[in-house]
Structures are given as structure tokens and as C-alpha cells.
Amino acid sequence: GGAANVAHNLVKAGVEVELLGVIGVDEDGRKLQEMCSKLGMKHLFFKSEDLVTTKKLRVISKNHQMIRCDFEKLFYGSLLDFINFEQILYRHEIVVFSDYKKGALNSIGEMLKISKRLKKTSIVDPKLSDLFQYSNTFLLKPNYSEFKNLFRCSLNDHEVIFKKLNEFEIEHLAVTCSD
């Protein structure tokens, strides 16, 4: 999915990566682990028998995607209940939170607090519309529509933007122009 794509791009750029997430105990989960290994990505997945590994089926005709079908079951727990996030962070300087609202980042607020306490650089690609969830972030990187949902103002309203960045302890903001 999207987070694995981010991790793969970092690996291609020569960055050592450890991918965390939630998968089902199924063939697609096994394939994902195998692909990560082949691509040189360390990975730590919580395996849940209650889930299916998210799978996307794309129907393409003449180089155009006609339809996409997602097969998934959202994770409603906390990844922090199953992994020692703090111990994992000791091995890394930067943490990228790529949120696709599938459940792996249900505890993102607590994960960001831990990251900040350990003085790790946190980069968040947000999907939620509650800015409070992204408190303690080093760099928040929404696209333009996500920015509007989070900040509820225009890009030119600098006073509101800086007030909210200070209020939620977000050090930097980078707004991308497209989805």
C-alpha cells in the first residue's frame, strides 16, 4: 500500500528502513512480507487473525485505470499494544507516519509523544481531520485538501496557521499542491 511505497522509495534512495504495520494471517500478508524482504526493507508486522491484509485490485484498459476495488478490514486496536515502539525508535533517527486510515496509526498521538520525548524527527502524512491527533510533530505534510480539513482556513491566513502550529506543537508545515 501507500506506506510500503514510501518505504520502498526511501530504500531506493539508500535509506535504511524498517516498515511497521498490521497484516492478516493470510496469503497476501505472506506475500507482502516476502516482497519487503526482496526489496531490502526490514519489516515488523503485527499479524491479526481477525483481519485480512489490505488488497487493491485495479482494472486497467488502454493504460487507464477504470476501477479500483479494495478488499480490507480495518484494524481497531492499538499497534502500541503489540509492539515495543520505544525500543524500535532507538534504532532510528527519523519516523515517517504515513496514515491511510486503515488502523495501524490509531495511536498516532501517543506515538508522536514518544517520538518527541526520544528526540526523534517525526514526519506525518495526515489523513485525519483533527489537528490535535498530530500534536508534537516535527513536520506535518498534508496535501491541499487535507490542509483545509485540518486548519479550516486559507493558505494565506498565516496568523491562524502559525497559531495552530504553536498550539499543537507542530514545528514545520509543508503543503503539497496535489493529492
Side-chain angles (χ1 to χ4, degrees):
N5 187 50
V6 171
H8 182 228
N9 288 337
L10 289 168
V11 167
K12 289 192 304 189
V15 177
E16 186 177 317
V17 171
E18 185 170 8
L19 180 65
L20 305 179
V22 181
I23 61 174
V25 180
D26 53 27
E27 182 64 16
D28 292 321
R30 188 194 62 73
K31 285 180 184 177
L32 177 61
Q33 292 177 92
E34 186 179 291
M35 286 173 29
C36 287
S37 295
K38 283 182 181 176
L39 294 172
M41 285 188 271
K42 293 179 186 173
H43 52 278
L44 176 61
F45 294 119
F46 167 65
K47 298 173 189 100
S48 172
E49 300 218 5
D50 297 329
L51 296 178
V52 295
T53 303
T54 299
K55 182 178 187 172
K56 299 174 187 310
L57 173 67
R58 291 176 169 85
V59 178
I60 299 173
S61 174
K62 297 180 184 176
N63 291 328
H64 294 287
Q65 180 174 306
M66 306 302 286
I67 192 169
R68 185 181 93 182
C69 301
D70 293 1
F71 302 93
E72 63 190 5
K73 186 176 178 186
L74 299 181
F75 177 66
Y76 291 101
S78 171
L79 197 54
L80 294 176
D81 291 337
F82 305 102
I83 63 167
N84 187 333
F85 186 64
E86 190 169 320
Q87 185 178 50
I88 292 165
L89 285 184
Y90 284 118
R91 301 192 294 259
H92 304 283
E93 295 302 314
I94 299 172
V95 186
V96 178
F97 296 93
S98 193
D99 190 356
Y100 288 87
K101 292 186 0 182
K102 305 296 181 188
L105 294 180
N106 287 339
S107 302
I108 191 167
E110 186 62 30
M111 296 168 109
L112 286 165
K113 283 180 192 172
I114 295 167
S115 299
K116 187 169 186 170
R117 182 171 43 82
L118 296 178
K119 297 180 171 67
K120 303 299 179 176
T121 300
S122 58
I123 300 170
V124 178
D125 186 1
K127 290 293 180 248
L128 303 175
S129 58
D130 179 7
L131 200 53
F132 175 76
Q133 293 298 317
Y134 303 117
S135 296
N136 301 297
T137 298
F138 176 78
L139 171 64
L140 186 68
K141 191 210 69 59
N143 64 36
Y144 182 64
S145 63
E146 292 162 345
F147 165 82
K148 289 191 302 186
N149 286 335
L150 285 165
F151 286 82
R152 294 174 175 78
C153 68
S154 78
L155 281 172
N156 296 326
D157 201 343
H158 300 144
E159 189 175 319
V160 171
I161 294 169
F162 284 113
K163 181 181 178 193
K164 289 185 179 191
L165 292 174
N166 286 328
E167 179 182 350
F168 295 107
E169 298 182 42
I170 299 169
E171 293 182 45
H172 303 278
L173 175 68
V175 180
T176 58
C177 294
S178 74
D179 292 344

